Amino acid sequence: MSLLCFRRRPDPQTPQSPAFIIQNGVEEGHAAWPPKVVDTRHLGYINAKDTWFYSQDIGRSFRLGGRTYIMFGDTFCNNFGVSSNTYKIIPDLTRPTEAFYLSGAHNEFIHPLIEQTQAENEWLALPENLGLRLAFWTYGGVIEFGDGIGWCYYQKHVVHPPHGVSELIGVGLARIAVNRSGGRGELSAARMPDLMFELEHRHPLFGSFSTLLVNNVVYLWGQIDAEVFLARVPKDDCQSRHKYTFWNGKEYVDDIAKAAPVLQDFQQGQFFQSPLFGPQLPWVFVGVTKYGDSMVMMGAASRVEGPWDVRPVYHAYGLKVPEGYRYCVYPHPLLSSKGRVVVSWSEHWPGGVIAAELKLTTEGATHWAQVILEGLAPRVVSAAISTAAQVCPRLSVTYVDLGTPRRLRLRGADGQAVGRAVEQVRQQMARVVAEVEEG
């Protein structure tokens, strides 16, 4: 914002005239489509509040109980083992990388939020299963359905030694809650007893790709063979498998076998609702393809079902692990602002989750100016308002007379037009001041 003071040249025989204070600036518009990155702010690893570094991946942020968290996948706790899902809290949204664990310390095992059951522990203890590991990976994120209570759809895997090859079993549902008694925002998870979707049926694993709550409806994206499908369920019926319906390309149907893909060739990503690209494209997607090319892909649609137009916008880089490819590309809508999107991606071990703010080209900016009327003579105030009423419509500029402190605010898409309108208002005010002083 800039501030200009205009003062009529004082007459040596009369007292000095009052200043006309005029403020002006630009309200940034929405990002232009197709998207183009024009600047990058490198934020580094989402690890800055911790005094040690544990290699980890995924990195999905979410809001629960008025706090912001970020969920990770495999977290390599040095010599203490691997935790398949951990979380940190982000206390300051202006410093998104300064997240920290609410439990655990240097050279300690970070316990997973979603844990194994007693039956699973006993299964792992069987002689034929020694060396296996169960993993619960939370690619789909967490959706809040009540104050401090949310659902998380997680993938259940069996990880086989010696190279960590994972065997996907299906998708389960866990209830995530904020512990109110502690005051620090610790989370707890309670798994529902049965899997919601199982891979053996060769159906998309809904909820394990992305989830979104809009108007009491949960939208769930699931994936199979890099094809992404869409389902929905009423917010209060997430535990009822028969209440889910599936998008077949034209409508939602009860038969999961009739589901049709909405995207193809994508490995990870997140769908969300946002004003990022303006009112005509309220649905946004950010993710990464199956090709291992490290490209941040950004898409938009007029409807949640699509069709989706997805474009490459940025090449994700490595820090600790510059070689290979980056994966788990996710946006962070809670940390983003107009025309700027915070995005993160994962490196392979021994790397971590890296964040950057991408600034996009924008359009539809609004130029504004306001004339401070407080303390001016009534005739000067009337002159300003009447002049604005005559001039602004001809220049496609709007104006409004605002209250305490009293000011005249002008807005328009053309900065030069707003400037001309303000100048004419100022000139008329100066003429009235001169008349008052001379009369």
Side-chain angles (χ1 to χ4, degrees), residues 63-127:
R63 191 86 170 160
L64 204 62
R67 294 178 171 91
T68 302
Y69 302 87
I70 185 163
M71 185 85 82
F72 300 97
D74 275 352
T75 300
F76 295 85
C77 305
N78 294 340
N79 297 323
F80 296 88
V82 182
S83 184
S84 70
N85 61 92
T86 61
Y87 72 93
K88 295 179 180 181
I89 192 167
I90 303 176
D92 185 351
L93 297 186
T94 65
R95 295 179 173 88
T97 60
E98 295 185 4
F100 60 90
Y101 293 113
L102 289 172
S103 61
H106 181 50
N107 280 341
E108 286 188 2
F109 180 75
I110 307 298
H111 288 278
L113 175 61
I114 301 173
E115 298 187 284
Q116 296 166 187
T117 64
Q118 181 60 35
E120 289 168 337
N121 288 334
E122 294 172 357
W123 181 83
L124 287 171
L126 295 175

Side-chain angles (χ1 to χ4, degrees), residues 181-201:
S181 60
R184 300 179 67 231
E186 292 95 338
L187 301 179
S188 63
R191 291 168 59 190
M192 301 301 104
D194 300 314
L195 293 177
M196 295 297 296
F197 303 97
E198 299 183 41
L199 185 62
E200 64 177 337
H201 300 304

Side-chain angles (χ1 to χ4, degrees), residues 35 59 91 96-97 185 188 206 220 269 280 291 293 323 338 341 343 364 423 425:
T97 60
S188 63
F206 288 100
L220 313 94
Q280 302 303 313
Y291 298 114
D293 57 9
E323 65 278 1
K338 275 189 175 182
V341 184
V343 176
E423 177 59 18
V425 169

Side-chain angles (χ1 to χ4, degrees), residues 402-420:
L402 298 173
T404 310
R406 195 167 186 190
R407 58 203 186 278
L408 181 66
R409 189 173 179 88
L410 291 76
R411 293 165 54 90
D414 186 340
Q416 292 184 345
V418 173
R420 289 196 297 271

